[in-house]
Amino acid sequence: MAFLQAGNQTGPSGGLSETQPAVPGQGEILGNRAESQSLIDIGNCIREQRQESGLSQESLAELAGISTNTVSRIEGGQTAMSVEVFRKLVCILGMDANFLLGRTGLPPEGSRQLSEMFWRIGHLKKREQKVVMQTVTALMDGLEGA
């Protein structure tokens, strides 16, 4: 997909180049405008979800560990994002990554709650994660056996 970068691409001076191909053959980001419709679509979806979540660009940026300018450029389809930033935004906004990528028509019901729960579990200590997994496994076994 055109919106994901493996890493920063640099120009001859070592800084980010003015024209950065997102994926060869799938468009380039030129100045302040996006050439890739997929970047625009993803940015719009992120903006809508952020607004529905009641978050400002500033608060989303702080939670994701990126600048407000970067959030603005992502939402405007003006820049590609790293896989790590994509993962953070999906978790923070409680989005389904496949939905965001346009691979499904509608997000599954309850996906936001599940995403939030997985994010919370992922930030526990390993010992605590093990307890949660054992508890959930026992609960699921009981429900499936009923």
Side-chain angles (χ1 to χ4, degrees), residues 46-91:
I46 289 172
R47 178 184 300 110
E48 289 172 13
Q49 188 65 36
R50 174 184 59 78
Q51 291 171 339
E52 286 179 18
S53 299
L55 293 172
S56 65
Q57 285 185 339
E58 293 80 9
S59 58
L60 178 59
E62 186 176 332
L63 290 168
I66 58 178
S67 71
T68 303
N69 185 48
T70 299
V71 172
S72 176
R73 291 177 48 97
I74 289 169
E75 289 183 354
Q78 297 171 349
T79 190
M81 68 185 104
S82 69
V83 172
E84 181 63 19
V85 169
F86 176 76
R87 185 191 66 75
K88 286 179 181 179
L89 293 177
V90 165
C91 288

Side-chain angles (χ1 to χ4, degrees), residues 3-123:
F3 72 97
L4 296 177
Q5 296 176 323
N8 290 334
Q9 298 176 6
T10 58
S13 65
L16 289 178
S17 63
E18 289 293 317
T19 303
Q20 302 175 6
V23 171
Q26 291 190 0
E28 294 181 341
I29 301 167
L30 304 170
N32 286 336
R33 62 187 172 94
E35 191 173 285
S36 170
Q37 186 61 44
S38 64
L39 284 174
I40 294 168
D41 293 343
I42 290 167
N44 287 335
C45 190
I46 289 172
R47 178 184 300 110
E48 289 172 13
Q49 188 65 36
R50 174 184 59 78
Q51 291 171 339
E52 286 179 18
S53 299
L55 293 172
S56 65
Q57 285 185 339
E58 293 80 9
S59 58
L60 178 59
E62 186 176 332
L63 290 168
I66 58 178
S67 71
T68 303
N69 185 48
T70 299
V71 172
S72 176
R73 291 177 48 97
I74 289 169
E75 289 183 354
Q78 297 171 349
T79 190
M81 68 185 104
S82 69
V83 172
E84 181 63 19
V85 169
F86 176 76
R87 185 191 66 75
K88 286 179 181 179
L89 293 177
V90 165
C91 288
I92 292 165
L93 296 172
M95 300 180 78
D96 180 84
N98 285 318
F99 174 71
L100 186 57
L101 294 171
R103 294 183 179 162
T104 62
L106 295 172
E109 193 172 322
S111 65
R112 179 182 172 103
Q113 291 86 1
L114 288 173
S115 293
E116 288 175 2
M117 188 59 64
F118 289 133
W119 184 86
R120 289 175 61 196
I121 292 169
H123 287 82

